[in-house]
Amino acid sequence: MKGGAVEFLTKPLRDDTLVEAITNAVERSRRELHHEAGMQRLREGYATLTPREREVMALVVSGRSNKQVGDELGISEITVKAHRGKVMAKMRAGSLAELVKMATALEPGSTESR
């Protein structure tokens, strides 16, 4: 099982048992590949962010307002809005909630990032 086995089959083997095991393994592989492709897109989007955009993203997803982010980073609220807009575009996030999910998935050890 440690070598990647997903099922342990015993003899005598029924055909339907083998087909079901193969079907389940293929479906599991498909889900994992789909998940990994999504994670790769997130990592690629994050890699395009500038250091300042990463700072803004971290503060925004932690729940801080644009004004609070600006005060913490020593920049204007308008500049925060500009950075935030670039973050949303580069990460292809349609909403703040979606950006928060993306940030959570990118965290090391997250169950989303596996």
Side-chain angles (χ1 to χ4, degrees):
M1 290 293 190
K2 291 182 180 181
V6 293
E7 187 72 44
F8 183 76
L9 305 172
T10 59
K11 290 183 179 179
L13 185 61
R14 292 181 26 209
D15 290 345
D16 60 331
T17 303
L18 178 60
V19 170
E20 183 179 348
I22 291 170
T23 302
N24 290 340
V26 168
E27 178 59 26
R28 179 178 174 183
S29 176
R30 188 200 63 75
R31 282 192 312 268
E32 288 177 7
L33 288 170
H34 180 73
H35 174 77
E36 184 52 39
M39 288 303 301
Q40 185 61 32
R41 283 190 298 275
L42 284 181
R43 287 188 289 268
E44 288 170 358
Y46 189 77
T48 66
L49 300 179
T50 65
R52 178 61 88 184
E53 289 165 349
R54 290 178 186 193
E55 288 176 317
V56 169
M57 178 179 165
L59 293 171
V60 167
V61 300
S62 73
R64 291 187 176 81
S65 68
N66 291 339
K67 181 167 178 25
Q68 291 170 324
V69 172
D71 290 345
E72 188 162 330
L73 297 178
I75 57 178
S76 73
E77 188 174 349
I78 292 173
T79 303
V80 172
K81 288 179 184 179
H83 286 307
R84 183 175 170 166
K86 289 179 182 176
V87 168
M88 297 292 284
K90 288 180 178 181
M91 293 298 294
R92 297 182 194 105
S95 67
L96 178 58
E98 190 176 350
L99 187 65
V100 170
K101 288 179 184 178
M102 291 174 172
T104 301
L106 286 167
E107 289 176 1
S110 164
T111 57
E112 293 292 317
S113 64
R114 273 188 262 172

